[in-house]
Amino acid sequence: RGQSPSSPGGPAADRPCPEAGPSRQARARWRRPALYAIPTPLGGSPVDALPGCALEIVRGLREFVAENAKSARTFLAAVGMPCPLRELRIEVLDQNTRSDSVPALLAPLREGRALGLLSEAGCPSIADPGADLGAGGHRGRYRVRPLIGASSNKDAQIASGTGGQRLSIRRLLPREKAGGGVRTRRLEHS
């Protein structure tokens, strides 16, 4: 009972109620470690932006994949990790990470430990390199658990006043060295 997210069973909230009598297959599925997609606030403190249950899960993790290790450490310090930050393992997954490197980042899951995925801002896997890690987690039949928090895409949708009827999600555009935003203008007129 009350296992930490880094233990194979994951946090107690992730497991079915024993009184419910889950099937053997369901019990096996719930014992698999999870990839936790951890939202980072778009401004302000993570302690103010994330619900207590999400903070508890983050504080129980010891291995992370992030776009930027330095900003990940800043976030984790603000969360109030119960261990020294130097004891955490933070691997980088950014726009320059080769797709054949992604399976190696899932090693903690294969070894029975939970893994945290941190975005630079907002929700991981939404217009974010973390989408490749989430897809790899699904291919490996691991649980991918998004935690509740900020989403820059949803914030932009709300602020746009479009109501979402014409919402079109595209991957992040690469930085253009020349052309002055040709791709952006092309999307605006499509």
Side-chain angles (χ1 to χ4, degrees):
R1 284 194 102 89
Q3 297 175 341
S4 73
S6 56
S7 67
D14 282 352
R15 294 192 312 270
C17 177
E19 298 82 57
S23 69
R24 183 179 304 175
Q25 185 179 24
R27 284 192 308 270
R29 184 180 75 241
W30 284 105
R31 280 194 293 269
R32 288 190 200 127
L35 171 62
Y36 290 95
I38 305 163
T40 53
L42 303 174
S45 166
V47 174
D48 295 333
L50 300 177
C53 59
L55 291 169
E56 183 180 329
I57 289 171
V58 173
R59 289 176 184 140
L61 296 170
R62 297 296 175 266
E63 296 177 273
F64 298 88
V65 174
E67 284 184 76
N68 180 295
K70 183 178 179 181
S71 60
R73 278 190 288 277
T74 301
F75 170 86
L76 294 167
V79 163
M81 294 300 286
C83 64
L85 295 181
R86 68 180 173 277
E87 291 180 13
L88 303 176
R89 182 173 161 226
I90 302 172
E91 299 290 336
V92 173
L93 172 63
D94 61 17
Q95 64 188 16
N96 299 316
T97 303
R98 293 177 18 186
S99 60
D100 61 352
S101 301
V102 172
L105 297 173
L106 296 167
L109 295 174
R110 283 191 298 278
E111 295 165 7
R113 297 183 311 275
L115 180 63
L117 171 61
L118 285 165
S119 180
E120 206 43 28
C123 291
S125 296
I126 306 291
D128 181 271
D132 294 337
L133 195 69
H138 283 293
R139 281 192 300 275
R141 302 195 42 83
Y142 298 105
R143 294 179 299 143
V144 177
R145 302 290 311 255
L147 300 180
I148 297 169
S151 168
S152 56
N153 281 1
K154 292 293 181 192
D155 290 348
Q157 181 183 355
I158 292 165
S160 74
T162 62
Q165 285 81 5
R166 293 190 58 214
L167 178 66
S168 175
I169 303 290
R170 309 281 180 137
R171 290 190 67 101
L172 288 178
L173 295 174
R175 292 184 183 174
E176 294 185 53
K177 295 183 183 195
V182 171
R183 289 183 182 171
T184 302
R185 284 192 296 280
R186 201 176 309 140
L187 281 174
E188 288 172 346
H189 297 291
S190 64

